[in-house]
Amino acid sequence: MATPIGNLKDITYRAIEVLKAVDVIAAEDTRVTAKLLNHYGITSKKLVSLHQHNEQRAAPHVIGHLAARRSVALASDAGTPAFSDPGARLVAAVREAGYPVVPIPGPNAAAAALSASGLAGPQFLFYGFLPAKSGERRSTIQEIALLPYQLLFYEAPHRVLETISDLNVGLGGARQIVIARELTKLFETIHTCRLDEAEGWLKADANRQKGEFVLIIEGASRGDDAQRVDAERVLTLLLEDLPVKQAAALAARITGARKNELYARALQLKRDA
Ligand code: SAM
């Protein structure tokens, strides 16, 4: 079942009814769920722990409860379970064992951010978290750079600056980014700017780097596609024989792409080589 992503009032009537009615609640963090239950005066519930590291092991216990005709609800710390959260393996095991799984829809950070972003493209790709290691993150960004869909990412505060810097280099600075931070909470902020302005905006006030983030970036345009594929190919070839600065300058002259973006990308390619 979906639970709030910050503001405890963001929970459906049905979710409250289910929390009151079930025999057992499988919770990602029992303390977080206990706080929610407390807020709604729901007392003496059996809570069992089900998180990323014990999901496989915990599934048979949950199925044991179901076999004993006890109803079980699944709650993650925030938002919708199995959405960049544990839950999918449990759901698969429960369904495999022949029990029905009933979704209780509600809050989700990506949907909340998208709905307030003002970005109008009909298609989007929800990526979730990019890899934590910079080399893997950069190559992942390259893989999705040319998709003509808005790109949605989740990011943690301690990585948001480096991720935005990599997105700027990998996608080009001209695209719009919506930085949706602390949604439904006291310091909720939704800021739109060009990708090459985003790092500066975050650095201008340390508070802007705090909290939880959804990043939404405009998809590639058709023109972008052709130029970026070309620029990447030309740059990679030139780097085989020329130093970074010269390769970037020449690739910019050949393809019409921006020299400083190619320079940053050339540095990345050299580092990752
Ligand atoms: N299951 C959740 C959902 O349905 O959105 C997502 C869980 S994921 C482990 C946590 C990430 O979601 C955070 O690092 C952040 O990127 C995003 N997130 C969660 N709550 C948020 C909020 N209030 N504002 C912005 N982003 C949020």
Side-chain angles (χ1 to χ4, degrees):
M1 65 161 52
T3 56
I5 57 168
N7 189 326
L8 292 184
K9 289 184 186 152
D10 291 329
I11 188 159
T12 65
Y13 285 121
R14 187 172 171 220
I16 298 283
E17 277 175 11
V18 169
L19 284 172
K20 283 183 180 160
V22 286
D23 301 304
V24 179
I25 302 171
E28 182 181 6
D29 183 333
T30 52
R31 290 162 304 180
V32 173
T33 302
K35 195 172 149 210
L36 179 69
L37 296 176
N38 225 9
H39 184 80
Y40 285 99
I42 302 170
T43 51
S44 49
K45 278 286 155 191
K46 182 172 173 58
L47 290 171
V48 299
S49 168
L50 187 129
H51 48 73
Q52 196 188 346
H53 305 290
N54 78 346
E55 190 173 351
Q56 204 78 45
R57 267 180 290 125
H61 296 293
V62 169
I63 292 169
H65 283 301
L66 297 171
R69 305 184 76 79
R70 286 189 282 271
S71 52
V72 183
L74 168 67
S76 59
D77 287 355
T80 303
F83 207 108
S84 293
D85 257 345
R89 287 193 213 137
L90 174 69
V91 166
V94 165
R95 292 184 58 198
E96 174 82 4
Y99 297 97
V101 174
V102 182
I104 313 285
N108 168 254
L114 190 69
S115 70
S117 70
L119 292 177
Q123 284 104 18
F124 61 86
L125 169 78
F126 172 72
Y127 195 88
F129 290 98
L130 281 162
K133 289 192 184 141
S134 56
E136 280 173 44
R137 184 168 57 235
R138 287 172 191 155
S139 49
T140 303
I141 292 171
Q142 283 309 311
E143 281 165 24
I144 57 179
L146 299 178
L147 296 175
Y149 316 127
Q150 286 156 38
L151 304 172
L152 271 79
F153 303 102
Y154 281 165
E155 196 46 280
H158 60 281
R159 258 199 299 270
V160 70
L161 267 179
E162 43 183 297
T163 292
I164 283 190
S165 160
D166 285 346
L167 287 167
N168 181 29
V169 175
L171 305 180
R175 296 196 205 180
Q176 294 281 103
I177 179 171
V178 177
I179 302 175
R181 165 181 169 261
E182 292 290 86
L183 295 172
T184 78
K185 303 187 205 176
L186 186 58
F187 296 109
E188 178 178 274
T189 313
I190 301 171
H191 179 76
T192 304
C193 61
R194 279 172 55 110
L195 198 38
D196 56 8
E197 295 164 348
E199 209 176 327
W201 182 80
L202 281 172
K203 284 181 175 165
D205 178 350
N207 287 320
R208 293 178 182 164
Q209 297 160 39
K210 292 182 184 157
E212 301 192 274
F213 291 85
V214 181
L215 308 174
I216 310 181
I217 296 153
E218 243 185 322
S221 65
R222 299 277 166 217
D224 270 358
D225 285 12
Q227 192 189 54
R228 292 190 72 77
V229 170
D230 233 24
E232 179 85 10
R233 196 173 49 80
V234 170
L235 184 65
T236 311
L237 282 174
L238 291 175
L239 275 173
E240 287 176 11
D241 294 314
L242 295 175
V244 167
K245 202 167 164 193
Q246 226 179 325
L250 206 50
R253 277 174 58 199
I254 295 168
T255 64
R258 289 179 179 219
K259 192 163 76 179
N260 56 351
E261 283 174 15
L262 288 178
Y263 182 68
R265 178 67 186 139
L267 287 176
Q268 268 192 356
L269 287 170
K270 276 277 177 207
R271 255 196 318 258
D272 297 344

